[in-house]
Amino acid sequence: MTAVAWARSNLFRNRRDAVTTIVAGLIVGWVLYRTARFVVVTGRWEVVRTNLTLFLVGRYPNGDQWRVAVVAIGAGFVAGLVAGQVARRRLGAAIANGTPLPTVPFTDRVRDVVARYWPALTLLLLLLLLARTASPWLLAAATIAATVAGRLLGARTPRRVGWAIFALPAVLPLAVLPFLTDPLGWDRWGGMMLTLLLASVSMIACFPLGVLLALGRRSTLPALRAVSIGVIEFFRGIPLVVLVLMSDVALGFFFPRDLLPGKVVRVIVAFTIFTAAYVAEIVRGGLQSVPRGQTEAAQALGLSPVRITGLIVLPQALRNVIPALVGQFISLFKDTTLVFIIGFLDVLSVADNVTKQPEFRGQGLIAETLVFAALLFWVGSYTLSRESQRIERKLGVGTR
Amino acid sequence: MTEHDDTVFADATVVAGTGEVMIEIEGVDKLFDDFQALRDINLRVGRQEVVVVIGPSGSGKSTLIRCINRLEKHDRGRIVVDGVELSDDIRAIQAIRRETGMVFQSFNLFPHLTVLENITLAPRHVRKMPRREADALAMELLERVQIPEQALKHPGQLSGGQQQRVAIARALAMQPKVMLFDEPTSALDPEMINEVLDVMKELAREGMTMIVVTHEMGFAKEVADRVVFMADGQIVEVGTPEHFFTRPSEERTKRFLSQIL
């Protein structure tokens, strides 16, 4: 079908369609024009360029930023190792099943990686273009090189020692965090680094807690059920802002200040419990979506209640709620901006503060800085969303 | 009861098979709230015997066999399977479930596991069988139900008949002494019914003790040692297939048979 024929049948089928198309086209065109003009012509991005470091790592001391670089390169290497080992195992399983996977040429693999991570890669490129020095380019190149090296090494590691690779992402953060917090103490972390810390730790911690609360709420033990319902309903009923504020000030009324952990830990606990309450209800919905017959079949086979939950019901329940769970995680990722109200210098408060710097004050630059902050969050959220769809597709194969 | 000829066992306690009692059900009642699903059920099933349970829907057939492995809890009476009495003791329940395979109307295969994993799950986790051994056993069973080539697929990729045969293989993997079938062919397209019935006939020939709830009268005639007719939660009549289909003694039985035959 030619473009004209396609347009005629889809956009100008009759008079009303034609009018709608023209009006909508004008509106969209106007918005796109204004946006492009803002980004390219009228936007004064100097404020972002100047404060790029502040946006990304907050007030992390200049002399210690090599630590962040080391962690970034190391993280790339470990991610590569894991990906390589996963690929090796998948290949091994496919061969054992007698269905060898086709070999993919190197250029196609690069294309696949770009297609999978294009939002993050585009953002990375933008950040590099905004950077004033060469060191970010070196860091990006080193991280990518480390990831590729890890991927190659991971794929060549025999299965026997491969389990150690899977243990790395769990163990390394414990070693890395003190290394990172050393120069500043993490209560003074800021920028994207703080956001990533808050979001990732809360996500990892709230998931098992949420699952336990969901199982507790369905338990036949009245005490356990009551506690679970209590926790879920109490924390769902309180605005997150209130919890964040309370984590900062109100806990001091109940407990001696000296016994309390640091501010970051307290706010992470607040995010974790709040999100866990929502996760619990999502997971409970998933548990209810698994037909009774599944439990009965497992019971008839003589499986114990713990195994029925762990092997039969939970895997199916979680698969059914991936979209809702990831939605909750994205929500958490964005809600971490609330920490600005208790004095953290997160991305949002950087965006606000830099417009008050002497050389930028009074120029109405908040639009530029907010758009940039929004972009950072959008890329993170969209990447999460895309990965979740990928997992859904993988788990959905041949199961219905 | 009108008349009793020698093939009618109204108390259902005389068993066929080897003569040894495998399942004993004595005075069992089951209530769902205030609805009485089972009323004073007495039935004994012998080792290697095949008992087919028929009756109109809502007559308590499924409830009866679901009580045997405690998917439903009976409210009164005694159920003993291979010498173990069913009680609230979880160990007794697990012991009976290990010895009792069940096949459901809606298959209830685990959709997130492959066919092979469906079959090896219980042997590996309940019997603690090593993976290699469990896999070999599963393949042997799949050969028996004639779908070894489907081992690595997921249940959703199989036809209904194939799924039900996998479900039978899954139950057999625990090497049960008794197999319970709860309307195994009711959810199947007509052309797939025979492939499942053939597997069940083969199983009966090999001497498996079976209780089969079904509407397949051909199967009952051919395979059953005894047929149990239930209505309104009670056993109305018990007899050999020959007695049952040629000269049933109860009015209720005659009415049912005239409706379905």
Side-chain angles (χ1 to χ4, degrees):
Chain A
M1 213 191 311
T2 66
V4 174
W6 182 88
R8 184 158 292 177
S9 75
N10 286 289
L11 300 175
F12 299 99
R13 189 183 288 273
N14 53 38
R15 185 170 298 176
R16 205 185 61 191
D17 276 12
V19 171
T20 316
T21 300
I22 289 166
V23 171
L26 284 176
I27 294 172
V28 170
W30 175 249
V31 170
L32 284 181
Y33 166 72
R34 292 298 296 190
T35 310
R37 204 172 98 100
F38 174 68
V39 170
V40 183
V41 186
T42 57
R44 288 156 295 173
W45 300 102
E46 204 47 37
V47 62
V48 174
R49 284 193 81 165
T50 310
N51 294 296
L52 208 49
T53 318
L54 207 53
F55 270 106
L56 294 181
V57 296
R59 288 210 192 88
Y60 207 80
N62 275 335
D64 282 301
Q65 279 167 15
W66 61 271
R67 292 173 192 256
V68 181
V70 168
V71 169
I73 295 170
F77 184 67
V78 171
L81 275 180
V82 171
Q85 184 66 22
V86 167
R88 183 193 177 94
R89 287 181 181 225
R90 190 173 301 148
L91 196 66
I95 290 169
N97 289 355
T99 52
L101 302 169
T103 45
V104 183
F106 180 71
T107 48
D108 285 10
R109 286 198 196 171
V110 173
R111 198 196 54 206
D112 289 348
V113 170
V114 172
R116 182 172 170 186
Y117 296 114
W118 72 261
L121 291 173
T122 310
L123 176 66
L124 176 66
L125 194 63
L126 177 69
L127 292 178
L128 291 177
L129 289 174
L130 285 172
R132 288 222 169 89
T133 57
S135 52
W137 288 90
L138 288 176
L139 172 58
T143 307
I144 290 173
T147 311
V148 172
R151 173 70 174 76
L152 295 174
L153 188 63
R156 273 157 192 73
T157 310
R159 280 184 68 120
R160 280 177 289 111
V161 282
W163 62 268
I165 287 179
F166 293 123
L168 279 180
V171 179
L172 271 188
L174 300 176
V176 165
L177 276 180
F179 174 72
L180 275 178
T181 46
D182 194 35
L184 194 65
W186 58 16
D187 278 352
R188 293 179 53 215
W189 273 25
M192 207 59 208
M193 213 166 103
L194 174 68
T195 300
L196 290 178
L197 172 78
L198 295 175
S200 56
V201 176
S202 309
M203 274 181 216
I204 293 168
C206 78
F207 179 64
L209 183 61
V211 170
L212 287 180
L213 284 173
L215 293 172
R217 187 161 189 171
R218 279 167 52 103
S219 165
T220 46
L221 304 173
L224 190 55
R225 199 170 53 232
V227 169
S228 303
I229 293 176
V231 170
I232 291 170
E233 297 302 343
F234 181 76
F235 284 100
R236 278 207 313 168
I238 298 180
L240 183 53
V241 191
V242 174
L243 278 181
V244 169
L245 280 171
M246 280 177 66
S247 79
D248 184 37
V249 291
L251 278 180
F253 301 143
F254 303 113
F255 304 104
R257 286 228 167 242
D258 303 343
L259 292 181
L260 287 175
K263 203 164 149 180
V264 160
V265 177
R266 295 198 308 258
V267 81
I268 284 177
V269 169
F271 281 126
T272 301
I273 298 182
F274 181 81
T275 310
Y278 279 90
V279 167
E281 286 300 277
I282 292 172
V283 171
R284 189 167 70 94
L287 291 171
Q288 276 164 354
S289 75
V290 178
R292 246 184 84 73
Q294 292 290 310
T295 309
E296 289 184 349
Q299 283 175 334
L301 287 167
L303 288 165
S304 65
V306 172
R307 288 218 165 81
I308 294 173
T309 303
L311 297 171
I312 304 300
V313 180
L314 254 189
Q316 297 185 54
L318 293 180
R319 195 186 63 187
N320 291 346
V321 298
I322 289 171
L325 269 183
V326 173
Q328 197 61 49
F329 286 168
I330 287 174
S331 185
L332 166 66
F333 177 56
K334 294 181 298 181
D335 286 346
T336 55
T337 48
L338 285 176
V339 294
F340 86 92
I341 57 168
I342 54 170
F344 281 106
L345 192 67
D346 81 311
V347 176
L348 188 59
S349 55
V350 170
D352 183 33
N353 283 332
V354 293
T355 62
K356 294 169 188 154
Q357 287 167 337
E359 68 258 55
F360 299 114
R361 187 170 14 197
Q363 298 175 31
L365 291 172
I366 191 74
E368 281 83 354
T369 57
L370 282 182
V371 164
F372 182 70
L375 178 71
L376 292 180
F377 279 101
W378 181 78
V379 168
S381 306
Y382 187 50
T383 301
L384 271 177
S385 163
R386 286 167 61 91
E387 288 301 299
S388 110
Q389 284 170 27
R390 212 178 115 90
I391 295 172
E392 267 175 71
R393 270 199 304 276
K394 288 212 155 177
L395 294 181
V397 172
T399 48
R400 231 177 296 278
Chain B
M1 298 280 145
T2 47
E3 55 162 3
H4 282 207
D5 67 27
D6 55 348
T7 49
V8 182
F9 315 115
D11 64 353
T13 50
V14 183
V15 300
T18 61
E20 207 179 329
V21 176
M22 179 61 106
I23 300 174
E24 191 166 5
I25 298 170
E26 229 178 68
V28 163
D29 285 0
K30 167 74 191 168
L31 290 138
F32 290 113
D33 296 323
D34 51 0
F35 171 73
Q36 185 141 20
L38 295 178
R39 196 187 302 268
D40 191 29
I41 300 288
N42 291 287
L43 178 68
R44 293 162 102 187
V45 179
R47 193 179 293 276
Q48 304 198 345
E49 191 181 15
V50 177
V51 171
V52 169
V53 184
I54 61 174
S57 60
S59 59
K61 316 178 294 277
S62 291
T63 308
L64 173 62
I65 67 168
R66 286 164 60 86
C67 281
I68 295 173
N69 65 354
R70 205 25 106 86
L71 292 184
E72 306 290 354
K73 186 179 168 192
H74 59 280
D75 295 303
R76 254 188 302 280
R78 247 159 61 85
I79 297 178
V80 182
V81 180
D82 198 26
V84 181
E85 179 170 357
L86 202 50
S87 63
D88 286 334
D89 183 357
I90 185 74
R91 278 165 304 179
I93 296 174
Q94 292 298 63
I96 287 174
R97 283 178 177 165
R98 274 198 298 274
E99 306 297 332
T100 316
M102 188 163 204
V103 176
F104 300 85
Q105 178 177 355
S106 48
F107 325 139
N108 293 348
L109 292 177
F110 306 129
H112 60 303
L113 302 178
T114 64
V115 165
L116 194 72
E117 289 164 341
N118 262 279
I119 301 173
T120 56
L121 185 79
R124 286 181 57 200
H125 289 282
V126 182
R127 294 237 190 268
K128 310 289 176 204
M129 194 183 273
R131 189 195 192 111
R132 231 174 271 273
E133 206 179 309
D135 283 355
L137 170 69
M139 287 314 294
E140 200 179 294
L141 288 166
L142 282 173
E143 299 275 356
R144 224 164 117 187
V145 300
Q146 301 180 352
I147 36 174
E149 70 284 358
Q150 312 288 356
L152 299 169
K153 291 192 183 165
H154 280 85
Q157 295 164 290
L158 271 51
S159 74
Q162 290 172 329
Q163 289 193 46
Q164 195 59 300
R165 285 186 281 159
V166 171
I168 295 173
R170 177 177 71 178
L172 290 176
M174 285 295 285
Q175 290 153 344
K177 294 183 179 151
V178 180
M179 284 286 283
L180 307 172
F181 292 86
D182 189 0
E183 303 201 21
T185 57
S186 299
L188 294 177
D189 290 336
E191 75 272 19
M192 294 171 181
I193 290 177
N194 277 329
E195 64 188 54
V196 171
L197 291 182
D198 286 345
V199 170
M200 291 166 62
K201 286 173 192 168
E202 184 59 36
L203 208 52
R205 260 196 295 280
E206 288 164 13
M208 176 63 75
T209 309
M210 294 164 56
I211 303 185
V212 184
V213 173
T214 187
H215 297 294
E216 294 295 324
M217 295 303 145
F219 177 83
K221 277 181 197 163
E222 189 182 335
V223 184
D225 292 304
R226 279 185 300 157
V227 177
V228 173
F229 174 66
M230 288 183 70
D232 306 321
Q234 285 173 300
I235 293 182
V236 175
E237 186 166 359
V238 182
T240 60
E242 201 242 332
H243 157 83
F244 214 85
F245 293 108
T246 52
R247 45 195 156 80
S249 35
E250 297 293 320
E251 208 41 52
R252 187 74 184 79
T253 317
K254 286 177 193 161
R255 201 154 20 108
F256 176 71
L257 289 174
S258 73
Q259 278 162 353
I260 58 160
L261 290 179

